[in-house]
Amino acid sequence: MLDKPLNEIAHALRAGKISSVELTEIALQKAQTGSNLNAYISLLEEQALAQAKITDKRLAAGDESPLCGIPMAHKDLFCAQGTLTSCGSKILSNFISPYDATVVEKLADAGMVCIGKTNMDEFAMGSTNESSYYGPALNPWNNQHVPGGSSGGAAVAVANGDVPIATGTDTGGSVRQPAALCGLTGIKPTYGRISRYGMVAFASSFDQAGVLANSAQGASLVLEAMCGFDEKDSTSIKEQTIDFSGQLNKPLKGLRVGLPKQYFTDALNPEIGAAIEAAKAELSKAGVQWVDIDLPNSELGIPCYYVLAPAEASSNLSRYDGVRYGHRADEYDDLASMYINSRTEGFGKEVKRRILVGTYALSSGYYDAYYIKAQKLRRLIVNDFQAAFEQCDVILGPTTPNTAPKLGQISDDPAAMYLEDIYTVTINLAGLPALSIPVGFDKQELPIGMQLIGRYMDEATLLNVAHQFQTLTDWHLKTPKTHGKQSRGAA
Amino acid sequence: MSFDNKQIEAVAKLAMLRVDEHDMPDTIKKMNGIMTLIDQMQSVNTDQVQPLSHPQDPVLRLREDTVTQSDQREAFQTLTEFAEQGLYTVPKVIE
């Protein structure tokens, strides 16, 4: 039931075919049965069932929220009052949040039932979910492969059919990449659309919440509930039009879709290229117009991002010192050694590496050569997108250069892992909205994702294109149970 | 840019981290791999480009100078076992 599109589940709830409590019990059981996938850092059985009872009463009273009573899961970097919010890190492995993130509050207000907090790369730093203190989540399509990251657990929870949607965050591709690797629809909206209040910070000028769902239609409904101005977030956008689900049936005829020449090179896995060509053929039938565009600084996105994001991270993560919350080392001689020991023990290797890179880029003598240089490149990349959107309405390309790698295949080579983010990080540098939708499988039966990038605040067009594509094709309906190699994968 | 032991130790000190001796060769190797990637930035002339710190280049808004949240010190101090009489405890700094 929970692997059905969200609107079908909502219809069943309203028709009285199933209650929220029953759905929540199914979701919890599915999550427990699939515990080998390591999708969750914590399951919230008691809270979820109590919440489901309340939403059943709301449904009986005629609550009109389309999300009321539907189980979901939050990435474990959203603070949820009274629950562990570890961010996948040892340093926060004892942190029980004293308050709710705005996203948590909004989805609870909409009647969604949170069954658990999902696994993730530590502090959202990673593309494979292998940097989690709690061990890697496994791809439900093939357990020997990673689900992507950093919102890997969220992707596993949805792909495994535990829940129809899960929240994620996307600092450099962390919603879109796991969505692509797990055959899901994943959207990162415009920076500032969704409040960052209560999201554990990684890189504050990039971090943005998003949704992983089993359909664009479901993603649009949840995104509507998550967006909106919040005075608690200093970069929250005040003027917002929030109507995505009502814009899903606009004809695509005449829509100008840009194809950046830099996205279709030898670096792209040919099987992904072929799947995207097939997807383009479907969109051509719907009447879209293709436009060749140029994003000349695309390749510089990786070095630019991997200076700026670690620089912001080194500043944000300086708050973890063992004094007020989080891990404090057992052994130390003085205040300085307490800080150093707590941080050295509490952070994992990838997080420490990024703190070192960021600290170096911000240090005296290197600030101009690295940090300011990267900020200048950021402007060039933003300028590229602005020029491209004068010629087209949407940009289309791959989400990832390759399908899901095997566990351990790239995680020991950070530079190689960073290069897997080539198609996603520039969108975060520019603060634009983008989504990934499933468009096929490779020879190993691993999912392939296609990325659509939109103009500033134009999520509605992206979701409309995605939804129309999903009415023409059935890639989004395939599940690991019917299509994957799960039974053959040795966990 | 290429790191050696001394430079890694200096950056780690700034970041309040320690890189243990047995981790040093692997840390240097991986940091140098990352810096090789990052140094690709230097191939582009950006002399005439203004830095951009934020995608929307926003002007931070102001709010009324009024109290909007109540004091939650007690609730927040339950998050650590190292709090006494409303204060956080740390190793002695002044003898």
Side-chain angles (χ1 to χ4, degrees), chain A residues 158-308:
Chain A
V158 180
N160 195 47
D162 305 353
V163 285
I165 83 107
T167 56
T169 58
D170 193 314
T171 302
S174 287
V175 163
R176 291 160 287 156
Q177 188 254 22
L181 270 43
C182 289
L184 301 174
T185 302
I187 182 163
K188 178 207 94 73
T190 304
Y191 179 91
R193 269 280 200 190
I194 297 174
S195 172
R196 289 183 293 114
Y197 180 75
M199 269 170 55
V200 178
F202 160 14
S204 301
S205 79
F206 300 84
D207 295 341
Q208 182 59 199
V211 187
L212 295 108
N214 58 18
S215 71
Q217 198 265 354
S220 68
L221 286 168
V222 179
L223 196 65
E224 281 173 352
M226 291 167 75
C227 287
F229 173 68
D230 182 9
E231 63 182 12
K232 294 176 192 161
D233 174 358
S234 62
T235 54
S236 179
I237 296 171
K238 200 153 195 175
E239 305 297 329
Q240 296 198 33
T241 302
I242 304 170
D243 177 15
F244 311 129
S245 59
Q247 309 288 318
L248 294 182
N249 290 304
K250 287 190 170 174
L252 299 185
K253 192 170 168 57
L255 187 82
R256 298 172 304 164
V257 181
L259 300 170
K261 64 181 176 192
Q262 290 79 7
Y263 287 13
F264 298 95
T265 66
D266 290 345
L268 180 64
N269 178 321
E271 290 183 74
I272 295 179
I276 289 177
E277 282 304 314
K280 280 170 59 187
E282 292 293 339
L283 290 172
S284 292
K285 286 184 212 163
V288 307
Q289 289 177 14
W290 302 106
V291 185
D292 290 326
I293 59 166
D294 194 13
L295 296 172
N297 294 293
S298 288
E299 280 197 13
L300 294 167
I302 291 285
C304 174
Y305 174 85
Y306 279 100
V307 169
L308 295 179

Side-chain angles (χ1 to χ4, degrees), chain A residues 96 191 231 233-234 300 307 324 328 341 343-344 353 356 360 369-370 373 375-376 378-379 412, chain B residues 1 11 15-16 18 30 38-39 41-42 44 46 49-56 61 79 82 89:
Chain A
I96 307 296
Y191 179 91
E231 63 182 12
D233 174 358
S234 62
L300 294 167
V307 169
R324 291 158 299 149
R328 183 186 286 199
N341 292 356
R343 288 165 62 79
T344 302
R353 261 194 302 273
L356 290 176
Y360 176 72
Y370 290 100
K373 180 80 180 182
Q375 285 195 334
K376 289 180 172 187
R378 187 175 198 173
R379 185 174 294 281
D412 201 43
Chain B
M1 175 63 208
V11 179
M16 285 286 172
R18 184 183 56 250
K30 285 175 178 161
I38 286 172
D39 278 333
M41 293 194 309
Q42 311 305 340
V44 184
T46 52
V49 182
Q50 286 297 309
L52 180 70
S53 63
H54 193 279
Q56 272 114 46
R61 62 178 183 277
L79 296 171
F82 303 102
T89 59

Side-chain angles (χ1 to χ4, degrees), chain A residues 371-382:
Chain A
Y371 186 63
I372 296 296
K373 180 80 180 182
Q375 285 195 334
K376 289 180 172 187
L377 290 175
R378 187 175 198 173
R379 185 174 294 281
L380 293 179
I381 287 164
V382 169

Side-chain angles (χ1 to χ4, degrees), chain A residues 83-94:
Chain A
T83 71
L84 172 68
T85 301
S86 74
C87 220
S89 180
K90 179 180 177 181
I91 212 159
L92 284 176
S93 59
N94 60 358

Side-chain angles (χ1 to χ4, degrees), chain A residues 357-372:
Chain A
V357 170
T359 302
Y360 176 72
L362 292 172
S363 63
S364 175
Y366 301 100
Y367 183 81
D368 287 346
Y370 290 100
Y371 186 63
I372 296 296

Side-chain angles (χ1 to χ4, degrees), chain A residues 75 119-132 136-139 145-153 155-156 169-182 202 302 305-306 350-351 353-354 399-425 428, chain B residues 37:
Chain A
K75 185 174 181 178
N119 201 350
M120 55 180 286
D121 279 299
E122 184 181 8
F123 283 101
M125 297 180 196
S127 308
T128 63
N129 211 126
E130 290 167 287
S131 73
S132 170
L138 308 180
N139 194 318
H145 291 249
V146 303
S150 65
S151 312
V156 175
T169 58
D170 193 314
T171 302
S174 287
V175 163
R176 291 160 287 156
Q177 188 254 22
L181 270 43
C182 289
F202 160 14
I302 291 285
Y305 174 85
Y306 279 100
E350 178 63 20
V351 170
R353 261 194 302 273
R354 295 202 198 191
T399 309
T400 59
N402 295 295
T403 53
K406 281 193 167 177
L407 287 158
Q409 187 180 329
I410 59 169
S411 54
D412 201 43
D413 182 353
M417 187 170 71
Y418 298 172
L419 286 168
E420 292 293 303
D421 301 338
I422 183 83
Y423 303 122
T424 53
V425 291
N428 301 77
Chain B
L37 194 67

